[in-house]
Amino acid sequence: MVTEQSRQYLDIIVEMTGLRPSAYEVKDVDKNDPLQIYDLPPGKPTLFNIGSHLIWCPKYRRKVLVGEVAERLKELLLQKAREIGVEIAQMEVMPDHVHLFVKTTPTVSPHFIVHQLKGYTSRVLREEFPSLKSRLPSLWTRSYYCESVGHISEE
């Protein structure tokens, strides 16, 4: 049985996420089951909108992310993000830093995402572009910036 408080909470979630109730369109839906009312997939009774703004720089803030290196970095970031189940909503590769807006699940931490992306891209880029090995002891600094964001916009 869905209480009035539960229904209000679910209405707020619907308003925030854009999910639309389907109980009024489907006649055989149990209107007391919030998972059916709000068209949630079976076994996944959680709604979330977790976004992070991530920034990191090459070692010594060297301007090495240009040309072919920048293009290959974008490809590698998208590939690794797919592999670890992260959506890159927006990406900007500047000559001396990387900006990412990522969407993820509650079980994947920003630290894990950054660790995976930096480690993978550093290894592959340094293998493919030997000039990166001679100019830098490692491609990325150990630090990064992370900010949680609820809504990603151009502003």
Side-chain angles (χ1 to χ4, degrees), residues 50-124:
I50 299 174
S52 297
H53 178 200
L54 306 171
I55 304 171
W56 66 84
C57 305
K59 194 82 162 175
Y60 310 127
R61 196 124 189 209
R62 294 255 169 93
K63 296 182 184 205
V64 295
L65 306 176
V66 293
E68 291 179 13
V69 174
E71 290 306 312
R72 183 65 175 135
L73 174 60
K74 290 177 185 179
E75 293 171 9
L76 293 172
L77 288 169
L78 290 170
Q79 177 184 342
K80 189 63 176 179
R82 261 191 314 273
E83 185 180 308
I84 62 174
V86 172
E87 175 193 347
I88 297 178
Q90 195 169 12
M91 176 183 350
E92 181 97 28
V93 176
M94 306 300 286
D96 62 348
H97 63 282
V98 176
H99 280 269
L100 294 179
F101 287 103
V102 298
K103 302 291 259 172
T104 186
T105 64
T107 58
V108 180
S109 71
H111 175 76
F112 174 78
I113 296 168
V114 172
H115 179 77
Q116 291 292 308
L117 295 178
K118 286 172 66 173
Y120 177 71
T121 57
S122 176
R123 182 178 57 78
V124 174

Side-chain angles (χ1 to χ4, degrees), residues 37-56:
I37 292 173
Y38 291 93
D39 203 19
L40 298 177
K44 303 219 182 232
T46 305
L47 294 175
F48 50 83
N49 179 19
I50 299 174
S52 297
H53 178 200
L54 306 171
I55 304 171
W56 66 84

